[in-house]
Amino acid sequence: MTSAERREQLIRVARHSFAERGFEGTSVEEIAARARVSKPVVYEHFGGKEGLYAVVVDREVRTLLDAIRGALETPGSSRALIERATLTLLDYIETNPDGFRIVARDSSLESTGSSFASILSDVASQVEDILAAAFKVQRINPKVAPMYAQMLVGMIAYTGQWWLDARRPKKPELAAHLVNLAWNGLRGLEASPQLRA
């Protein structure tokens, strides 16, 4: 195996281990044993578990953000953009369950510089412009768009976490329900909401 091939093998093995047991529950010994190499090989390529974990998380974050950016950059109506972003996140969860578990569970370790919250915040910042434009049409202050973007992205992401294990309903049905709540809820927003209790 070449050095590059060995590196990729270690990343694949570690990705699965981190998804199963998290950062704390995974050891360099376990990764080395699963890859059928000695511990020094892992240290040689990554400097230790933290370095390997950082590479795994960075790849997952890039994959997820690139997919969502692509969905949001494609022209369309506000509803179509919300639908595409929702389906994109659910597609990622479905095709990369190990990666999503890593990112959603414990990617907030300081060694990576990424956290699930910061990933969601990045996605939400891209949604802000879509919401601000829709708010202007509805005569709602567009300055509240960042707050609503956080709510919307959080709703989809945390429902996705639940769906990762439940796997019911099927993805298109789940996406339709998420978009239904998001779109119909956003469409009926009050300009100056107040608690009534």
Side-chain angles (χ1 to χ4, degrees):
M1 209 178 264
T2 68
S3 178
E5 290 169 336
R6 177 66 70 198
R7 181 178 169 82
E8 289 303 314
Q9 177 207 23
L10 290 169
I11 291 169
R12 275 193 316 275
V13 167
R15 182 178 184 264
H16 184 70
S17 294
F18 290 136
E20 278 183 342
R21 285 182 270 306
F23 178 81
E24 294 298 329
T26 301
S27 67
V28 171
E29 292 83 3
E30 173 192 347
I31 294 166
R34 284 185 167 188
R36 297 191 174 136
V37 299
S38 64
K39 282 176 27 180
V41 172
V42 177
Y43 287 106
E44 175 187 323
H45 282 277
F46 301 99
K49 182 171 79 167
E50 293 81 5
L52 179 52
Y53 186 75
V55 170
V56 170
V57 171
D58 283 345
R59 282 188 177 189
E60 292 306 321
V61 168
R62 252 184 291 126
T63 299
L64 177 56
L65 289 179
D66 288 349
I68 291 176
R69 280 185 190 120
L72 293 174
E73 289 171 358
T74 305
S77 68
S78 295
R79 182 179 174 122
L81 292 173
I82 291 170
E83 288 179 2
R84 276 199 305 272
T86 300
L87 280 169
T88 298
L89 179 58
L90 294 177
D91 284 342
Y92 172 79
I93 293 168
E94 183 176 57
T95 59
N96 299 288
D98 282 352
F100 185 73
R101 280 189 178 94
I102 292 166
V103 169
R105 179 180 38 228
D106 55 9
S107 66
S108 61
L109 297 171
E110 292 180 23
S111 64
T112 67
S114 296
S115 69
F116 191 46
S118 69
I119 294 164
L120 295 183
S121 185
D122 187 48
V123 173
S125 69
Q126 296 181 48
V127 173
E128 286 174 23
D129 294 334
I130 297 166
L131 293 181
F135 285 4
K136 284 179 187 174
V137 170
Q138 295 179 13
R139 297 178 191 243
I140 296 172
N141 184 353
K143 290 181 180 179
V144 299
M147 178 174 58
Y148 280 92
Q150 292 288 334
M151 292 178 207
L152 180 62
V153 170
M155 175 186 74
I156 296 167
Y158 286 107
T159 302
Q161 279 186 291
W162 164 81
W163 182 71
L164 180 61
D165 294 322
R167 292 301 174 136
R168 290 193 183 271
K170 291 185 177 186
K171 181 176 57 180
E173 184 180 350
L174 176 63
H177 283 284
L178 282 165
V179 172
N180 181 41
L181 176 60
W183 183 254
N184 291 315
L186 289 173
R187 192 174 58 184
L189 286 180
E190 297 172 347
S192 299
Q194 295 182 8
L195 298 177
R196 297 181 184 169

